[in-house]
Amino acid sequence: MATESRMEKIVSLCKRRGFVFQSSEIYGGLNGFWDYGPLGAELKRNVRDAWYHDMVTRHDDLGVPAGAPSSFQMVGIESSLIMHPQVWKCSGHFDLFCDKMVDCKACKSRFRFDHVSVAVMQTRETPPVVLAAETYIPDDSGGGLSATKTKKMEQSVFQHNRAKGTSVEGELVTVSLDNYYKRLTDSTPADLKPKCPSCGGELTAPRDFNLMFKTTLGALGGEDDAAFLRPETAQGMFVNFKNVLDSTRLKLPFGIAQVGKSFRNEITPRNFTFRSREFEQMEMEFFCRPDQSRAWYQYWRDRRFSWYTRLGIVSDSLRMRDHASDELSHYSVGTADIEYAFPFLDKGEYGELEGVAHRGDFDLRSHAEGKLVRKDGSLVVETDADGKPKHRGSGKDLQYFDDQTRERFYPHVIEPAAGADRTTLAFLCEAYHEDQQPDEKGEMQERVYLSFHPRLAPVKVAIFPLIKKEGMPEKAAGIYREFKEAGIAAQFDQQAAIGRRYRRQDEIGTPYCITVDGDTMKDDTVTLRDRDSLKQERLPIKEVVEYVRHRVTKW
Ligand code: GAP
């Protein structure tokens, strides 16, 4: 299956079966915003619930979790979407949460600097001579330069040779806009300068664009009342660190977790729900003693990676990647990304699902003392020209007092930060399968099925009467009601041939289908069919709810 068509098929299934719709679609859609339909909302809720369950509710189900340096506690919070503007000054988002972008001076289109590529036709010489350059936005499969433009570039080699009386060969290479800018000199002719990918107009020099959505508080609000929609949930945990400590009996080490919406004004949202402007995060801040932080960092990297594999991402498409030192965030002393090879990416490319970061004491200290910067290897309060803190902190004591050792210190923090939308998309992509199965007449038909882990499947079980008579619909409806009463998401379907009903459920990833047939009416047994193995087994009706419940809650 070609990579491109695989993603197209997933996107089309998402729309057709009600997983994901474009936001405000009847008005032409709104770029970077998505709505989850009936099945998508269930799927995403199951992802969120699985995360909260595994991270908070039953984080230490078996005592000290395997691999953990010690036991620990975990609590959840729910903080507001709009927080005091000073939060973002001390967190670094106000100054540093930027992407570089370029604008077109003619059509006013705006592009994220690192999303623009330049196709360069150059001679095969040392050093090469640039003959033609076309600026373009690569599509999801890395292509995107039109056939006409490619032809024009090929002609430039012919024209060059004719003008110079040479016969050099040309080669077409693609470079990032950043790298192309580095090759430009004062004598570069205007037609070789980067152009607007939309209209060919002149581009501005790259400049910083803050990704936070700004809003105004109060009806009469002015610039002083500007506030921001949170770009991450993490700061809610830091600013409530003392509140949580004072209102609970928590002792280090412990984690504070939260699931909620975040907003980033992405310059070029793309790749379906992967890069959106409104999305949901599942973040946990784990507070521990500084001398134990490296061991906890290792523990959370391993535990978070296994979360994805336990929930069904078993292919080679998942990997853990350590950040190089020049890639680390301003606060981080170590970060590893859990990444997935989404089908919209080129072969060998991966997209981030979750970052596991060792944040040191940056956040608590910044919120207490004022925004920190790294200077000569250590973190110090950033000052302005007069030597005053550039962004003042709260002035509150955000240290931890260890009543055993009588020490007072800032805990270090390990942060596993996952995206609920990206994770949901990865589970969808991983689950998408096609195979060939015989229909009722024995003819091979293509079957599309989503092999979701039973915990994540939006519908856990479907109940069918084989035919619409002889008491079978009533019997099947009774089983359906039992599942509903047990709180297990079930569907009842008596329309169309049984094969078609199976296929409808396979396509939405329902792990189990139960059929009520003639034998059921005699001995109160039913057929239970497994979506992946297609095996059918006969079970007494009184056992089916427990059978399914066990499998859809197992973790
Ligand atoms: N508190 C740290 C933090 O926010 P991040 O890597 O910027 O780290 C964490 O975000 C996760 O949030 C990412 O791994 C990704 O899954 C998700 N995420 C970030 N930006 C996103 C976007 N524009 N659209 C969808 N998900 C996004």
Side-chain angles (χ1 to χ4, degrees), residues 97 231-234 264 266 273-281 283 285 331 337 352-355 359 415 417-423:
F97 196 53
E232 62 171 23
T233 57
R264 296 182 188 177
E266 300 283 357
T273 57
F274 181 81
R275 188 177 304 287
S276 313
R277 289 178 166 143
E278 174 181 337
F279 55 97
E280 211 158 341
Q281 290 184 307
E283 295 196 286
E285 308 304 325
Y331 51 73
D337 284 347
E352 178 190 330
L353 290 179
E354 168 163 354
R359 294 176 76 124
E415 176 197 69
D421 304 84
R422 280 192 193 174
T423 304

Side-chain angles (χ1 to χ4, degrees), residues 231-392:
E232 62 171 23
T233 57
Q235 297 306 319
M237 274 77 94
F238 294 122
V239 300
N240 280 300
F241 171 72
K242 207 71 179 172
N243 280 338
V244 171
L245 258 189
D246 293 347
S247 59
T248 62
R249 292 158 54 85
L250 289 176
K251 299 255 183 269
L252 290 186
F254 65 86
I256 310 180
Q258 133 161 258
V259 177
K261 291 268 185 167
S262 291
F263 301 83
R264 296 182 188 177
N265 200 358
E266 300 283 357
I267 299 167
T268 41
R270 61 179 178 168
N271 290 335
F272 202 29
T273 57
F274 181 81
R275 188 177 304 287
S276 313
R277 289 178 166 143
E278 174 181 337
F279 55 97
E280 211 158 341
Q281 290 184 307
M282 308 184 291
E283 295 196 286
M284 191 270 288
E285 308 304 325
F286 189 79
F287 300 91
C288 60
R289 291 185 61 91
D291 56 358
Q292 291 179 353
S293 62
R294 295 234 167 233
W296 282 113
Y297 175 55
Q298 189 58 45
Y299 168 73
W300 282 112
R301 285 167 44 119
D302 296 347
R303 178 163 171 165
R304 290 305 305 151
F305 191 83
S306 73
W307 188 77
Y308 294 93
T309 55
R310 275 190 295 120
L311 282 172
I313 303 194
V314 289
S315 66
D316 296 341
S317 305
L318 192 71
R319 73 169 186 189
M320 174 85 86
R321 186 183 65 84
D322 282 296
H323 280 210
S325 53
D326 61 349
E327 225 188 320
L328 293 177
S329 312
H330 58 285
Y331 51 73
S332 184
V333 297
T335 297
D337 284 347
I338 300 170
E339 301 180 326
Y340 183 72
F342 285 97
F344 51 75
L345 297 171
D346 279 348
K347 200 167 164 39
E349 282 190 5
Y350 289 76
E352 178 190 330
L353 290 179
E354 168 163 354
V356 183
H358 184 312
R359 294 176 76 124
D361 58 5
F362 173 85
D363 302 271
L364 289 178
R365 273 186 63 202
S366 283
H367 286 305
E369 300 168 12
K371 195 204 141 207
L372 302 174
V373 280
R374 196 168 285 281
K375 209 170 173 189
D376 303 328
S378 47
L379 288 171
V380 293
V381 174
E382 190 176 9
T383 48
D384 60 18
D386 302 330
K388 295 201 189 106
K390 186 171 177 207
H391 297 304
R392 65 183 166 77

Side-chain angles (χ1 to χ4, degrees), residues 215-223 225:
T215 187
T216 307
L217 303 183
L220 302 174
E223 196 46 35
D225 303 294

Side-chain angles (χ1 to χ4, degrees), residues 63-75:
V64 179
S70 69
S71 64
F72 58 94
Q73 289 169 294
M74 198 69 89
V75 290

Side-chain angles (χ1 to χ4, degrees), residues 104-115:
C104 172
K105 291 185 183 169
C107 71
K108 310 292 177 213
S109 297
R110 175 168 286 181
F111 306 96
R112 206 172 121 170
F113 193 57
D114 61 350
H115 285 177

Side-chain angles (χ1 to χ4, degrees), residues 55 97 99 169 188 216 221-222 241 244 323 344 347 358 363 365 367 387 389 403 428 437 448 451 454 504 518 539 555:
M55 293 292 282
F97 196 53
D99 272 341
E169 282 181 30
T188 304
T216 307
F241 171 72
V244 171
H323 280 210
F344 51 75
K347 200 167 164 39
H358 184 312
D363 302 271
R365 273 186 63 202
H367 286 305
D403 51 15
L428 259 165
Q437 294 298 332
V448 171
S451 63
R504 279 204 287 260
L539 285 177
W555 64 293

Side-chain angles (χ1 to χ4, degrees), residues 121-131 157 160-161 167-173:
M121 180 59 85
Q122 58 189 25
T123 57
R124 275 190 201 276
E125 292 170 310
T126 315
V129 177
V130 176
L131 305 177
V157 183
H160 170 80
N161 280 330
S167 58
V168 290
E169 282 181 30
E171 65 175 341
L172 189 62
V173 294

